[in-house]
Structure formats: C-alpha cells, structure tokens
C-alpha cells in the first residue's frame, strides 16, 4: 500500500511525517467505504427508505 510506505518519509516543505499529511485523505476513504457498505446493506435488506433524501 502506498500510504504505508510513504509514512516512513518526511514531507520536504513542511517537515512533517507523510503519515500526518495523508491522514485526512485516508480518513475520508475509510468513511466513504463505511457509507458505501451501509448503503449496500440497506439495499440488500430492501430498506430503500433509508436511502431516500428527506425533503423538508
């Protein structure tokens, strides 16, 4: 995995570890994966009402 290897190095301009530099992107990918999994289980269970956006 790219992030695992790049975490060992330091960002030249900022002088901070790449792990902290890429952490928001990794967190976003993980969160998006959880939402996709939640939506997939909702569709497979037939709970399409969970996927509809509420209109106020």
């Amino acid at each position: 995995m790219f992030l695992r290897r790049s975490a060992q190095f330091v960002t030249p301009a900022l002088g901070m570890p790449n792990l902290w530099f890429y952490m928001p992107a990794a967190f976003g990918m993980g969160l998006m994966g959880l939402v996709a999994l939640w939506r997939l289980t909702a569709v497979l269970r037939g709970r399409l009402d969970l996927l509809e956006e509420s209109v106020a």
Side-chain angles (χ1 to χ4, degrees):
M1 180 175 206
F2 173 74
L3 291 177
R4 199 176 302 155
R5 182 163 186 241
S6 69
Q8 301 171 3
F9 303 106
V10 175
T11 305
L14 301 174
M16 63 188 284
N18 277 343
L19 178 65
W20 293 107
F21 188 73
Y22 288 114
M23 190 63 68
F27 180 74
M29 288 189 301
L31 186 61
M32 187 170 55
L34 287 174
V35 170
L37 184 63
W38 180 73
R39 288 181 156 204
L40 180 64
T41 56
V43 167
L44 292 177
R45 289 183 179 187
R47 298 289 313 265
L48 297 177
D49 59 325
L50 292 175
L51 300 178
E52 296 176 0
E53 295 183 20
S54 61
V55 179

